[in-house]
Short mmCIF file of all heavy atoms in Angstrom, two decimals:
data_model
loop_
_atom_site.label_atom_id
_atom_site.label_comp_id
_atom_site.label_asym_id
_atom_site.label_seq_id
_atom_site.Cartn_x
_atom_site.Cartn_y
_atom_site.Cartn_z
N MET A 214 8.70 -21.56 11.84
CA MET A 214 8.97 -20.23 11.32
C MET A 214 9.17 -20.31 9.82
O MET A 214 10.06 -21.01 9.35
CB MET A 214 10.20 -19.69 12.02
CG MET A 214 10.68 -18.38 11.52
SD MET A 214 9.91 -17.10 12.48
CE MET A 214 10.55 -15.68 11.66
N PRO A 215 8.36 -19.61 9.04
CA PRO A 215 8.52 -19.62 7.59
C PRO A 215 9.81 -18.92 7.18
O PRO A 215 10.30 -18.03 7.86
CB PRO A 215 7.32 -18.83 7.08
CG PRO A 215 6.44 -18.60 8.24
CD PRO A 215 7.20 -18.88 9.48
N ILE A 216 10.34 -19.34 6.06
CA ILE A 216 11.59 -18.77 5.57
C ILE A 216 11.31 -17.95 4.31
O ILE A 216 10.28 -18.09 3.68
CB ILE A 216 12.63 -19.86 5.28
CG1 ILE A 216 12.10 -20.85 4.26
CG2 ILE A 216 13.04 -20.58 6.55
CD1 ILE A 216 13.12 -21.84 3.76
N ASP A 217 12.29 -17.10 3.96
CA ASP A 217 12.18 -16.34 2.72
C ASP A 217 12.31 -17.28 1.54
O ASP A 217 13.06 -18.26 1.58
CB ASP A 217 13.27 -15.27 2.64
CG ASP A 217 13.07 -14.16 3.65
OD1 ASP A 217 11.95 -14.07 4.18
OD2 ASP A 217 14.02 -13.40 3.88
N PHE A 218 11.60 -16.98 0.49
CA PHE A 218 11.59 -17.81 -0.71
C PHE A 218 12.14 -16.97 -1.86
O PHE A 218 11.81 -15.80 -1.98
CB PHE A 218 10.16 -18.26 -1.00
CG PHE A 218 10.04 -19.30 -2.05
CD1 PHE A 218 10.53 -20.57 -1.86
CD2 PHE A 218 9.42 -19.01 -3.25
CE1 PHE A 218 10.41 -21.53 -2.83
CE2 PHE A 218 9.30 -19.96 -4.23
CZ PHE A 218 9.80 -21.23 -4.02
N GLU A 219 12.97 -17.57 -2.70
CA GLU A 219 13.58 -16.83 -3.79
C GLU A 219 13.00 -17.27 -5.13
O GLU A 219 12.93 -18.46 -5.43
CB GLU A 219 15.09 -17.05 -3.80
CG GLU A 219 15.77 -16.33 -4.93
CD GLU A 219 17.23 -16.71 -5.08
OE1 GLU A 219 17.74 -17.49 -4.26
OE2 GLU A 219 17.84 -16.24 -6.05
N ILE A 220 12.59 -16.31 -5.94
CA ILE A 220 12.10 -16.57 -7.29
C ILE A 220 12.87 -15.66 -8.24
O ILE A 220 12.65 -14.44 -8.24
CB ILE A 220 10.59 -16.32 -7.42
CG1 ILE A 220 9.80 -17.24 -6.51
CG2 ILE A 220 10.15 -16.49 -8.87
CD1 ILE A 220 8.32 -17.01 -6.51
N GLY A 221 13.76 -16.22 -9.02
CA GLY A 221 14.51 -15.44 -9.99
C GLY A 221 15.35 -14.34 -9.38
O GLY A 221 15.46 -13.26 -9.96
N GLY A 222 15.91 -14.56 -8.23
CA GLY A 222 16.75 -13.57 -7.57
C GLY A 222 15.97 -12.57 -6.73
O GLY A 222 16.56 -11.67 -6.14
N VAL A 223 14.66 -12.70 -6.67
CA VAL A 223 13.84 -11.81 -5.86
C VAL A 223 13.38 -12.59 -4.63
O VAL A 223 12.77 -13.64 -4.75
CB VAL A 223 12.61 -11.31 -6.66
CG1 VAL A 223 11.72 -10.44 -5.78
CG2 VAL A 223 13.04 -10.57 -7.90
N TYR A 224 13.69 -12.05 -3.46
CA TYR A 224 13.31 -12.72 -2.22
C TYR A 224 11.91 -12.29 -1.80
O TYR A 224 11.59 -11.10 -1.79
CB TYR A 224 14.31 -12.38 -1.11
CG TYR A 224 15.63 -13.06 -1.30
CD1 TYR A 224 16.70 -12.39 -1.86
CD2 TYR A 224 15.81 -14.38 -0.93
CE1 TYR A 224 17.92 -13.01 -2.06
CE2 TYR A 224 17.02 -15.02 -1.12
CZ TYR A 224 18.06 -14.33 -1.68
OH TYR A 224 19.26 -14.96 -1.87
N LEU A 225 11.09 -13.27 -1.50
CA LEU A 225 9.74 -13.01 -1.03
C LEU A 225 9.65 -13.32 0.46
O LEU A 225 9.87 -14.46 0.88
CB LEU A 225 8.73 -13.88 -1.77
CG LEU A 225 8.50 -13.58 -3.24
CD1 LEU A 225 7.59 -14.63 -3.84
CD2 LEU A 225 7.91 -12.22 -3.40
N PRO A 226 9.30 -12.32 1.27
CA PRO A 226 9.12 -12.60 2.69
C PRO A 226 7.86 -13.43 2.89
O PRO A 226 7.01 -13.53 2.00
CB PRO A 226 8.99 -11.21 3.31
CG PRO A 226 8.56 -10.33 2.20
CD PRO A 226 9.11 -10.92 0.94
N PRO A 227 7.70 -14.01 4.06
CA PRO A 227 6.53 -14.87 4.32
C PRO A 227 5.19 -14.16 4.11
O PRO A 227 4.23 -14.78 3.66
CB PRO A 227 6.71 -15.29 5.77
CG PRO A 227 8.17 -15.20 6.02
CD PRO A 227 8.66 -14.08 5.17
N ILE A 228 5.11 -12.86 4.39
CA ILE A 228 3.84 -12.16 4.20
C ILE A 228 3.48 -12.09 2.71
O ILE A 228 2.32 -12.26 2.34
CB ILE A 228 3.87 -10.75 4.84
CG1 ILE A 228 2.51 -10.08 4.77
CG2 ILE A 228 4.88 -9.87 4.18
CD1 ILE A 228 1.53 -10.59 5.76
N ALA A 229 4.47 -11.89 1.86
CA ALA A 229 4.21 -11.85 0.41
C ALA A 229 3.82 -13.23 -0.09
O ALA A 229 2.98 -13.36 -1.00
CB ALA A 229 5.44 -11.34 -0.33
N GLN A 230 4.41 -14.27 0.48
CA GLN A 230 4.03 -15.63 0.10
C GLN A 230 2.57 -15.89 0.45
O GLN A 230 1.83 -16.47 -0.35
CB GLN A 230 4.92 -16.64 0.82
CG GLN A 230 6.37 -16.57 0.44
CD GLN A 230 7.23 -17.43 1.34
OE1 GLN A 230 6.75 -18.39 1.93
NE2 GLN A 230 8.50 -17.10 1.44
N ALA A 231 2.15 -15.44 1.62
CA ALA A 231 0.75 -15.64 2.03
C ALA A 231 -0.19 -14.84 1.13
O ALA A 231 -1.26 -15.33 0.75
CB ALA A 231 0.57 -15.23 3.48
N LEU A 232 0.20 -13.62 0.77
CA LEU A 232 -0.65 -12.80 -0.09
C LEU A 232 -0.79 -13.43 -1.47
O LEU A 232 -1.88 -13.41 -2.06
CB LEU A 232 -0.08 -11.39 -0.21
CG LEU A 232 -0.12 -10.54 1.06
CD1 LEU A 232 0.62 -9.22 0.84
CD2 LEU A 232 -1.53 -10.29 1.50
N LEU A 233 0.27 -13.98 -2.01
CA LEU A 233 0.21 -14.62 -3.32
C LEU A 233 -0.56 -15.94 -3.27
O LEU A 233 -1.30 -16.27 -4.19
CB LEU A 233 1.61 -14.85 -3.87
CG LEU A 233 2.36 -13.60 -4.30
CD1 LEU A 233 3.79 -13.95 -4.71
CD2 LEU A 233 1.64 -12.90 -5.43
N LEU A 234 -0.38 -16.68 -2.19
CA LEU A 234 -1.08 -17.96 -2.06
C LEU A 234 -2.57 -17.75 -1.82
O LEU A 234 -3.39 -18.59 -2.18
CB LEU A 234 -0.47 -18.78 -0.91
CG LEU A 234 -1.03 -20.17 -0.68
CD1 LEU A 234 -0.82 -21.03 -1.92
CD2 LEU A 234 -0.36 -20.80 0.52
N ALA A 235 -2.93 -16.62 -1.25
CA ALA A 235 -4.34 -16.34 -0.95
C ALA A 235 -5.15 -16.04 -2.21
O ALA A 235 -6.37 -16.21 -2.20
CB ALA A 235 -4.44 -15.17 0.02
N ILE A 236 -4.50 -15.63 -3.28
CA ILE A 236 -5.24 -15.26 -4.50
C ILE A 236 -6.02 -16.43 -5.07
O ILE A 236 -7.23 -16.33 -5.30
CB ILE A 236 -4.30 -14.60 -5.53
CG1 ILE A 236 -3.82 -13.25 -5.01
CG2 ILE A 236 -5.00 -14.44 -6.88
CD1 ILE A 236 -2.74 -12.61 -5.85
N PRO A 237 -5.38 -17.60 -5.33
CA PRO A 237 -6.19 -18.70 -5.88
C PRO A 237 -7.23 -19.24 -4.88
O PRO A 237 -8.32 -19.65 -5.29
CB PRO A 237 -5.17 -19.77 -6.24
CG PRO A 237 -3.89 -19.38 -5.64
CD PRO A 237 -3.97 -17.93 -5.31
N VAL A 238 -6.90 -19.21 -3.59
CA VAL A 238 -7.87 -19.66 -2.58
C VAL A 238 -9.08 -18.73 -2.58
O VAL A 238 -10.23 -19.18 -2.57
CB VAL A 238 -7.21 -19.72 -1.19
CG1 VAL A 238 -8.24 -20.06 -0.12
CG2 VAL A 238 -6.07 -20.71 -1.18
N PHE A 239 -8.82 -17.42 -2.64
CA PHE A 239 -9.90 -16.44 -2.68
C PHE A 239 -10.74 -16.61 -3.95
O PHE A 239 -11.97 -16.55 -3.89
CB PHE A 239 -9.33 -15.02 -2.62
CG PHE A 239 -10.31 -13.98 -3.06
CD1 PHE A 239 -11.36 -13.61 -2.25
CD2 PHE A 239 -10.19 -13.38 -4.30
CE1 PHE A 239 -12.28 -12.66 -2.67
CE2 PHE A 239 -11.09 -12.43 -4.72
CZ PHE A 239 -12.14 -12.07 -3.90
N MET A 240 -10.09 -16.81 -5.08
CA MET A 240 -10.83 -16.96 -6.33
C MET A 240 -11.72 -18.20 -6.31
O MET A 240 -12.84 -18.17 -6.81
CB MET A 240 -9.87 -16.99 -7.52
CG MET A 240 -9.19 -15.66 -7.74
SD MET A 240 -8.00 -15.68 -9.08
CE MET A 240 -9.09 -15.71 -10.47
N LEU A 241 -11.23 -19.26 -5.70
CA LEU A 241 -12.03 -20.48 -5.57
C LEU A 241 -13.24 -20.25 -4.66
O LEU A 241 -14.36 -20.66 -4.98
CB LEU A 241 -11.17 -21.62 -5.05
CG LEU A 241 -11.81 -22.99 -4.97
CD1 LEU A 241 -12.12 -23.49 -6.38
CD2 LEU A 241 -10.91 -23.96 -4.26
N LEU A 242 -13.02 -19.57 -3.54
CA LEU A 242 -14.13 -19.27 -2.63
C LEU A 242 -15.14 -18.33 -3.29
O LEU A 242 -16.35 -18.52 -3.16
CB LEU A 242 -13.60 -18.61 -1.36
CG LEU A 242 -13.11 -19.53 -0.26
CD1 LEU A 242 -12.45 -18.72 0.84
CD2 LEU A 242 -14.23 -20.35 0.29
N ASP A 243 -14.65 -17.33 -3.99
CA ASP A 243 -15.54 -16.39 -4.66
C ASP A 243 -16.37 -17.09 -5.74
O ASP A 243 -17.57 -16.86 -5.85
CB ASP A 243 -14.71 -15.27 -5.29
CG ASP A 243 -15.58 -14.17 -5.86
OD1 ASP A 243 -16.48 -13.70 -5.15
OD2 ASP A 243 -15.34 -13.78 -7.03
N TRP A 244 -15.74 -17.96 -6.49
CA TRP A 244 -16.46 -18.72 -7.52
C TRP A 244 -17.55 -19.60 -6.88
O TRP A 244 -18.67 -19.66 -7.36
CB TRP A 244 -15.49 -19.59 -8.31
CG TRP A 244 -16.17 -20.45 -9.32
CD1 TRP A 244 -16.62 -20.07 -10.54
CD2 TRP A 244 -16.50 -21.83 -9.17
NE1 TRP A 244 -17.19 -21.14 -11.17
CE2 TRP A 244 -17.14 -22.24 -10.35
CE3 TRP A 244 -16.32 -22.76 -8.16
CZ2 TRP A 244 -17.60 -23.54 -10.53
CZ3 TRP A 244 -16.76 -24.05 -8.34
CH2 TRP A 244 -17.40 -24.43 -9.53
N GLY A 245 -17.19 -20.25 -5.76
CA GLY A 245 -18.16 -21.10 -5.08
C GLY A 245 -19.33 -20.31 -4.53
O GLY A 245 -20.49 -20.74 -4.63
N LEU A 246 -19.06 -19.14 -3.96
CA LEU A 246 -20.14 -18.31 -3.42
C LEU A 246 -21.05 -17.79 -4.53
O LEU A 246 -22.26 -17.69 -4.36
CB LEU A 246 -19.56 -17.14 -2.62
CG LEU A 246 -18.91 -17.51 -1.29
CD1 LEU A 246 -18.25 -16.28 -0.67
CD2 LEU A 246 -19.91 -18.11 -0.35
N ARG A 247 -20.46 -17.46 -5.67
CA ARG A 247 -21.27 -17.01 -6.81
C ARG A 247 -22.11 -18.16 -7.35
O ARG A 247 -23.26 -17.98 -7.72
CB ARG A 247 -20.39 -16.46 -7.92
CG ARG A 247 -19.80 -15.14 -7.61
CD ARG A 247 -19.00 -14.59 -8.77
NE ARG A 247 -18.27 -13.43 -8.38
CZ ARG A 247 -18.80 -12.21 -8.28
NH1 ARG A 247 -20.07 -12.04 -8.57
NH2 ARG A 247 -18.08 -11.19 -7.90
N ARG A 248 -21.52 -19.33 -7.41
CA ARG A 248 -22.22 -20.51 -7.95
C ARG A 248 -23.43 -20.87 -7.08
O ARG A 248 -24.48 -21.23 -7.60
CB ARG A 248 -21.22 -21.67 -8.02
CG ARG A 248 -21.75 -22.90 -8.60
CD ARG A 248 -21.29 -23.02 -10.01
NE ARG A 248 -21.55 -24.39 -10.45
CZ ARG A 248 -22.08 -24.64 -11.61
NH1 ARG A 248 -22.33 -23.67 -12.45
NH2 ARG A 248 -22.33 -25.87 -11.95
N VAL A 249 -23.25 -20.79 -5.77
CA VAL A 249 -24.33 -21.12 -4.85
C VAL A 249 -25.38 -20.01 -4.81
O VAL A 249 -26.54 -20.26 -4.54
CB VAL A 249 -23.75 -21.38 -3.43
CG1 VAL A 249 -24.83 -21.54 -2.40
CG2 VAL A 249 -22.86 -22.60 -3.45
N GLY A 250 -24.95 -18.78 -5.09
CA GLY A 250 -25.88 -17.66 -5.12
C GLY A 250 -25.94 -16.87 -3.83
O GLY A 250 -26.88 -16.11 -3.61
N LEU A 251 -24.95 -17.03 -2.97
CA LEU A 251 -24.96 -16.31 -1.70
C LEU A 251 -24.61 -14.84 -1.84
O LEU A 251 -24.94 -14.04 -0.96
CB LEU A 251 -23.99 -16.97 -0.71
CG LEU A 251 -24.43 -18.31 -0.16
CD1 LEU A 251 -23.36 -18.91 0.74
CD2 LEU A 251 -25.72 -18.18 0.61
N LEU A 252 -23.95 -14.45 -2.93
CA LEU A 252 -23.59 -13.05 -3.09
C LEU A 252 -24.79 -12.17 -3.43
O LEU A 252 -24.68 -10.95 -3.41
CB LEU A 252 -22.50 -12.90 -4.16
CG LEU A 252 -21.13 -13.43 -3.76
CD1 LEU A 252 -20.12 -13.18 -4.86
CD2 LEU A 252 -20.65 -12.79 -2.47
N ARG A 253 -25.93 -12.78 -3.72
CA ARG A 253 -27.15 -11.99 -3.95
C ARG A 253 -27.59 -11.27 -2.68
O ARG A 253 -28.25 -10.24 -2.74
CB ARG A 253 -28.29 -12.88 -4.42
CG ARG A 253 -28.11 -13.43 -5.81
CD ARG A 253 -29.29 -14.26 -6.17
NE ARG A 253 -29.39 -15.39 -5.23
CZ ARG A 253 -30.47 -16.10 -5.00
NH1 ARG A 253 -31.58 -15.82 -5.63
NH2 ARG A 253 -30.46 -17.10 -4.16
N PHE A 254 -27.25 -11.82 -1.54
CA PHE A 254 -27.69 -11.27 -0.26
C PHE A 254 -26.70 -10.27 0.33
O PHE A 254 -26.90 -9.77 1.43
CB PHE A 254 -27.91 -12.41 0.74
CG PHE A 254 -28.90 -13.42 0.25
CD1 PHE A 254 -28.48 -14.68 -0.14
CD2 PHE A 254 -30.24 -13.10 0.15
CE1 PHE A 254 -29.38 -15.62 -0.60
CE2 PHE A 254 -31.16 -14.03 -0.31
CZ PHE A 254 -30.73 -15.29 -0.69
N VAL A 255 -25.61 -9.98 -0.39
CA VAL A 255 -24.58 -9.07 0.09
C VAL A 255 -24.91 -7.66 -0.37
O VAL A 255 -25.24 -7.43 -1.53
CB VAL A 255 -23.19 -9.51 -0.45
CG1 VAL A 255 -22.13 -8.50 -0.08
CG2 VAL A 255 -22.84 -10.88 0.08
N TRP A 256 -24.81 -6.70 0.56
CA TRP A 256 -25.16 -5.33 0.24
C TRP A 256 -24.16 -4.70 -0.72
O TRP A 256 -24.53 -4.11 -1.72
CB TRP A 256 -25.24 -4.50 1.53
CG TRP A 256 -25.37 -3.03 1.29
CD1 TRP A 256 -26.46 -2.40 0.77
CD2 TRP A 256 -24.40 -2.03 1.53
NE1 TRP A 256 -26.21 -1.05 0.68
CE2 TRP A 256 -24.95 -0.80 1.14
CE3 TRP A 256 -23.12 -2.06 2.05
CZ2 TRP A 256 -24.26 0.39 1.26
CZ3 TRP A 256 -22.43 -0.87 2.16
CH2 TRP A 256 -23.00 0.33 1.76
N HIS A 257 -22.86 -4.77 -0.40
CA HIS A 257 -21.82 -4.16 -1.22
C HIS A 257 -20.82 -5.25 -1.58
O HIS A 257 -19.98 -5.64 -0.77
CB HIS A 257 -21.14 -3.03 -0.45
CG HIS A 257 -20.40 -2.07 -1.31
ND1 HIS A 257 -19.24 -2.40 -1.94
CD2 HIS A 257 -20.67 -0.79 -1.64
CE1 HIS A 257 -18.80 -1.36 -2.62
NE2 HIS A 257 -19.67 -0.36 -2.45
N GLU A 258 -20.89 -5.70 -2.81
CA GLU A 258 -20.12 -6.87 -3.22
C GLU A 258 -18.61 -6.64 -3.15
O GLU A 258 -17.86 -7.52 -2.73
CB GLU A 258 -20.53 -7.25 -4.64
CG GLU A 258 -20.12 -8.64 -5.04
CD GLU A 258 -20.72 -9.04 -6.36
OE1 GLU A 258 -21.91 -8.79 -6.58
OE2 GLU A 258 -19.98 -9.59 -7.17
N ALA A 259 -18.15 -5.46 -3.54
CA ALA A 259 -16.71 -5.18 -3.52
C ALA A 259 -16.16 -5.18 -2.09
O ALA A 259 -15.05 -5.69 -1.84
CB ALA A 259 -16.42 -3.85 -4.21
N LEU A 260 -16.90 -4.61 -1.16
CA LEU A 260 -16.46 -4.62 0.24
C LEU A 260 -16.42 -6.04 0.79
O LEU A 260 -15.50 -6.41 1.54
CB LEU A 260 -17.39 -3.76 1.10
CG LEU A 260 -17.26 -2.25 0.94
CD1 LEU A 260 -18.31 -1.55 1.78
CD2 LEU A 260 -15.88 -1.80 1.32
N PHE A 261 -17.41 -6.83 0.43
CA PHE A 261 -17.44 -8.21 0.89
C PHE A 261 -16.26 -8.99 0.35
O PHE A 261 -15.62 -9.76 1.06
CB PHE A 261 -18.75 -8.88 0.47
CG PHE A 261 -18.85 -10.31 0.88
CD1 PHE A 261 -19.16 -10.66 2.18
CD2 PHE A 261 -18.61 -11.33 -0.04
CE1 PHE A 261 -19.25 -11.99 2.56
CE2 PHE A 261 -18.67 -12.65 0.33
CZ PHE A 261 -18.99 -12.98 1.64
N GLU A 262 -15.95 -8.81 -0.94
CA GLU A 262 -14.83 -9.53 -1.54
C GLU A 262 -13.50 -9.09 -0.93
O GLU A 262 -12.61 -9.91 -0.72
CB GLU A 262 -14.81 -9.33 -3.05
CG GLU A 262 -15.94 -10.07 -3.73
CD GLU A 262 -15.97 -9.83 -5.23
OE1 GLU A 262 -15.27 -8.92 -5.72
OE2 GLU A 262 -16.71 -10.57 -5.90
N GLY A 263 -13.36 -7.80 -0.64
CA GLY A 263 -12.15 -7.32 0.01
C GLY A 263 -11.98 -7.92 1.40
O GLY A 263 -10.88 -8.34 1.79
N ALA A 264 -13.07 -7.97 2.15
CA ALA A 264 -13.03 -8.55 3.48
C ALA A 264 -12.75 -10.06 3.42
O ALA A 264 -12.01 -10.59 4.26
CB ALA A 264 -14.33 -8.29 4.22
N LEU A 265 -13.30 -10.72 2.42
CA LEU A 265 -13.05 -12.15 2.26
C LEU A 265 -11.58 -12.41 1.96
O LEU A 265 -10.97 -13.34 2.52
CB LEU A 265 -13.94 -12.72 1.15
CG LEU A 265 -13.82 -14.21 0.86
CD1 LEU A 265 -14.26 -15.02 2.08
CD2 LEU A 265 -14.65 -14.58 -0.35
N TYR A 266 -10.97 -11.58 1.11
CA TYR A 266 -9.55 -11.73 0.80
C TYR A 266 -8.69 -11.51 2.04
O TYR A 266 -7.74 -12.24 2.29
CB TYR A 266 -9.13 -10.77 -0.31
CG TYR A 266 -7.69 -10.88 -0.69
CD1 TYR A 266 -7.22 -11.98 -1.39
CD2 TYR A 266 -6.78 -9.90 -0.33
CE1 TYR A 266 -5.89 -12.11 -1.73
CE2 TYR A 266 -5.45 -10.02 -0.66
CZ TYR A 266 -5.01 -11.11 -1.37
OH TYR A 266 -3.68 -11.23 -1.68
N VAL A 267 -9.04 -10.51 2.84
CA VAL A 267 -8.30 -10.25 4.08
C VAL A 267 -8.42 -11.43 5.03
O VAL A 267 -7.43 -11.84 5.67
CB VAL A 267 -8.78 -8.94 4.73
CG1 VAL A 267 -8.23 -8.79 6.14
CG2 VAL A 267 -8.40 -7.75 3.88
N CYS A 268 -9.60 -12.01 5.13
CA CYS A 268 -9.79 -13.17 6.00
C CYS A 268 -8.98 -14.37 5.52
O CYS A 268 -8.39 -15.09 6.33
CB CYS A 268 -11.27 -13.54 6.08
SG CYS A 268 -12.26 -12.35 6.98
N VAL A 269 -8.94 -14.58 4.21
CA VAL A 269 -8.14 -15.69 3.67
C VAL A 269 -6.66 -15.45 3.95
O VAL A 269 -5.95 -16.36 4.36
CB VAL A 269 -8.41 -15.86 2.16
CG1 VAL A 269 -7.42 -16.82 1.53
CG2 VAL A 269 -9.83 -16.33 1.92
N CYS A 270 -6.19 -14.21 3.76
CA CYS A 270 -4.78 -13.89 4.03
C CYS A 270 -4.45 -14.11 5.51
O CYS A 270 -3.42 -14.69 5.83
CB CYS A 270 -4.48 -12.45 3.65
SG CYS A 270 -4.42 -12.14 1.89
N ALA A 271 -5.32 -13.63 6.38
CA ALA A 271 -5.07 -13.78 7.82
C ALA A 271 -5.03 -15.26 8.22
O ALA A 271 -4.19 -15.67 9.02
CB ALA A 271 -6.14 -13.05 8.61
N THR A 272 -5.92 -16.05 7.65
CA THR A 272 -5.93 -17.47 7.96
C THR A 272 -4.65 -18.15 7.49
O THR A 272 -4.06 -18.96 8.22
CB THR A 272 -7.15 -18.16 7.29
OG1 THR A 272 -8.33 -17.51 7.75
CG2 THR A 272 -7.20 -19.62 7.61
N LEU A 273 -4.19 -17.82 6.30
CA LEU A 273 -2.95 -18.40 5.79
C LEU A 273 -1.75 -17.99 6.62
O LEU A 273 -0.85 -18.78 6.88
CB LEU A 273 -2.75 -18.03 4.32
CG LEU A 273 -3.67 -18.71 3.33
CD1 LEU A 273 -3.44 -18.16 1.94
CD2 LEU A 273 -3.45 -20.20 3.34
N ILE A 274 -1.73 -16.73 7.05
CA ILE A 274 -0.61 -16.25 7.89
C ILE A 274 -0.60 -16.99 9.22
O ILE A 274 0.46 -17.39 9.71
CB ILE A 274 -0.70 -14.74 8.08
CG1 ILE A 274 -0.39 -14.04 6.75
CG2 ILE A 274 0.25 -14.26 9.17
CD1 ILE A 274 -0.69 -12.56 6.74
N LEU A 275 -1.77 -17.19 9.81
CA LEU A 275 -1.84 -17.92 11.06
C LEU A 275 -1.41 -19.38 10.88
O LEU A 275 -0.74 -19.95 11.74
CB LEU A 275 -3.25 -17.87 11.65
CG LEU A 275 -3.66 -16.53 12.24
CD1 LEU A 275 -5.13 -16.55 12.62
CD2 LEU A 275 -2.80 -16.21 13.44
N LEU A 276 -1.81 -19.99 9.76
CA LEU A 276 -1.42 -21.38 9.51
C LEU A 276 0.07 -21.50 9.21
O LEU A 276 0.69 -22.52 9.54
CB LEU A 276 -2.23 -21.95 8.36
CG LEU A 276 -3.71 -22.19 8.63
CD1 LEU A 276 -4.43 -22.64 7.38
CD2 LEU A 276 -3.89 -23.21 9.74
N MET A 277 0.66 -20.50 8.57
CA MET A 277 2.09 -20.53 8.26
C MET A 277 2.94 -20.41 9.53
O MET A 277 4.03 -20.95 9.59
CB MET A 277 2.45 -19.41 7.29
CG MET A 277 1.98 -19.65 5.89
SD MET A 277 2.25 -18.24 4.81
CE MET A 277 4.02 -18.23 4.71
N GLY A 278 2.42 -19.70 10.52
CA GLY A 278 3.17 -19.52 11.75
C GLY A 278 3.12 -20.72 12.67
O GLY A 278 3.94 -20.88 13.57
N ALA A 279 2.18 -21.62 12.45
CA ALA A 279 2.02 -22.78 13.33
C ALA A 279 2.97 -23.89 12.98
O ALA A 279 3.62 -23.96 12.03
CB ALA A 279 0.60 -23.30 13.25
#
């Protein structure tokens, strides 16, 4: 069970920790997909990136609970 984390007197619940941790993971994945050129085949890039961020967040939340 993940615990609350404190930064400068502000408590972050586990969901906020996962959301913050997902940002660099998402940016790395997005950079890699752009570098390989797979985003050329995506119809709506913003929707794809939003869905990718949600998938990264969900994966981190599932891993944090294990």
